[in-house]
Amino acid sequence: MRKTSAWPLSQLCVALIVYASLYPFDQWRDQGIAPWAFLGAPWPKYWTWFDVASNVLGYAPLGFFLTLSGMRMRMGWRGAVVWPATLAAALLSLTMEGLQSYLPARVPSQVDLLLNIAGGWMGAVLASGLEQMGLLHRWSQFRSRWFVRDAHMALVLMAMWPVALLFPVAVPLGLGQVWERVEDALTSAFDATPFADWIPLRAFELEPLLPGAELLCVMLGLLIPCLLGFGVIRHAGQRIVYAMWVVVVGLVMSALSAALTYGPVNAWMWLSLPVVLGWGLGFVLALVFATLPARTCAAFLLLILVVQQSVLNQSPESAYFAQVLHTWELGRFIRFHGLVQWFGWLWPYAVLVWALARVSRERHGEI
């Protein structure tokens, strides 16, 4: 069985679909009807193209990665894997729509089910078609030239980074700013319980980041995906090309996030002087790190992650920024928000776990 990045990506798609389908996970109740009763309900009178697109596109990646992983791990399946992948997407959608019968904030629909199945089928057909045209074989050749053999988990994290940037952040590239929310959640959960005094509370108020600290967070935020890639990319020239890709993708996705959050007119409002300087210094340092061994890059990645998260989580979210997030969470972007918020919160910590495993494994291999 071949290792492939498509399998963990398919499982990630499942987790995101479950979250987006069952959000906000509260006020569960039994209405006294079967969870499959929606299949015989009248068709909805009102729909929007946004709903159609979100239902189709939400399941297309699942069908794509399931088909791709099937072809990679069981090469004899080839085109026949389209139907098992479509069936898996259909069963997942049927389960999610049935569970929505118990959530007052969600309405199950046979139209959503059909659109989800269509999305899964389209993704599966796309993967099969790309394989038959030889394009996926070219990707395999490209991967073998650029990346080491066990790079599949790093590739998953690299693919997640642009998506994580879509979630609004208080500091550009400042993913993982969760401590204030975690503290509030713990305080609320254990309030009026014997464990209330066990929660470590801050002895000081969080202060907004100074321009120098903001510059540092942006610089380190750019270095993190660069060093992640340097840990699995073979040659220095390839690493430099990848670092340029990180710069461009980071700019585009940050601008897109700002456009979705504040409006297209304000797509570049986040480009202040500290941000521009941090971006430039981060790229210069990335060029230096591109010449270092992979294990050294992984070790520096650990250090940089700890420093950035320490600085970033010592600053609060502004009141205006919190209001913007509230709009995301309760407005028409509820599904979109559900798909990207956990990327933005947890991506740095997933990279931290990967870097720890990488350094430990390489050290063990040298003993």
Side-chain angles (χ1 to χ4, degrees):
M1 181 181 294
R2 295 174 54 184
K3 288 186 176 180
T4 172
S5 302
W7 179 247
L9 283 172
S10 68
Q11 302 310 297
L12 182 62
C13 288
V14 171
L16 293 174
I17 288 172
V18 170
Y19 179 86
S21 300
L22 303 182
Y23 184 86
F25 295 95
D26 60 1
Q27 299 182 17
W28 293 79
R29 82 279 189 262
D30 185 1
Q31 300 186 90
I33 59 175
W36 55 84
F38 72 94
L39 294 173
W43 285 58
K45 296 181 180 180
Y46 305 102
W47 55 272
T48 65
W49 284 111
F50 179 84
D51 294 329
V52 173
S54 62
N55 279 289
V56 172
L57 296 179
Y59 275 74
L62 176 62
F64 181 88
F65 289 123
L66 283 176
T67 302
L68 182 57
S69 60
M71 291 188 296
R72 285 290 178 264
M73 294 188 290
R74 293 287 187 268
M75 297 302 291
W77 287 4
R78 294 294 178 179
V81 79
V82 168
W83 298 112
T86 304
L87 178 60
L91 291 175
L92 177 62
S93 178
L94 181 63
T95 303
M96 293 301 101
E97 294 297 324
L99 289 175
Q100 285 182 0
S101 301
Y102 300 97
L103 286 169
R106 311 308 296 264
V107 179
S109 168
Q110 69 272 63
V111 175
D112 289 349
L113 174 63
L114 293 175
L115 291 173
N116 293 338
I117 295 174
W121 176 79
M122 291 169 59
V125 169
L126 177 61
S128 179
L130 292 177
E131 176 70 16
Q132 294 176 14
M133 289 187 294
L135 296 180
L136 295 182
H137 177 66
R138 293 182 182 179
W139 158 250
S140 298
Q141 292 178 324
F142 170 81
R143 174 176 170 171
S144 63
R145 289 196 307 267
W146 275 63
F147 302 102
V148 297
R149 288 191 62 181
D150 59 342
H152 55 284
M153 288 307 302
L155 289 173
V156 171
L157 292 170
M158 291 159 65
M160 289 170 57
W161 183 67
V163 182
L165 291 179
L166 286 176
F167 184 64
V169 290
V171 179
L173 305 181
L175 303 176
Q177 189 178 9
V178 297
W179 175 244
E180 190 175 10
R181 286 197 171 208
V182 170
E183 186 181 68
D184 292 341
L186 289 175
T187 303
S188 176
F190 293 102
D191 187 30
T193 69
F195 304 100
D197 296 334
W198 293 21
I199 302 174
L201 299 177
R202 294 189 308 269
F204 55 90
E205 290 294 327
L206 297 178
E207 297 292 338
L209 286 180
L210 296 174
E214 183 179 7
L215 184 154
L216 178 65
C217 286
V218 173
M219 180 184 70
L220 298 182
L222 189 69
L223 279 175
I224 289 170
C226 289
L227 292 177
L228 171 64
F230 294 171
V232 294
I233 297 176
R234 295 182 182 276
H235 306 299
Q238 296 168 339
R239 292 177 175 182
I240 292 174
V241 174
Y242 169 72
M244 296 170 64
W245 176 87
V246 168
V247 170
V248 173
V249 171
L251 285 170
V252 171
M253 300 309 290
S254 297
L256 179 58
S257 175
L260 291 173
T261 305
Y262 306 106
V265 177
N266 300 310
W268 301 100
M269 61 174 292
W270 51 276
L271 277 178
S272 61
L273 180 60
V275 172
V276 173
L277 292 177
W279 219 284
L281 290 175
F283 180 66
V284 171
L285 288 176
L287 298 180
V288 175
F289 280 112
T291 61
L292 300 179
R295 181 180 175 183
T296 304
C297 291
F300 272 102
L301 176 59
L302 284 172
L303 176 62
I304 287 174
L305 279 165
V306 171
V307 172
Q308 192 214 32
Q309 292 305 309
S310 298
V311 175
L312 195 62
N313 282 283
Q314 293 300 317
S315 63
E317 296 175 351
S318 67
Y320 180 66
F321 179 71
Q323 183 179 6
V324 168
L325 289 187
H326 184 72
T327 302
W328 266 60
E329 293 168 0
L330 299 182
R332 68 173 301 189
F333 290 107
I334 176 173
R335 289 174 180 260
F336 186 63
H337 167 270
L339 291 175
V340 300
Q341 72 165 341
W342 289 100
F343 282 177
W345 288 344
L346 301 181
W347 185 84
Y349 306 104
V351 175
L352 181 65
V353 173
W354 177 87
L356 282 170
R358 191 79 177 181
V359 171
S360 300
R361 185 171 57 185
E362 291 188 2
R363 179 181 300 174
H364 177 73
E366 291 183 359
I367 294 177

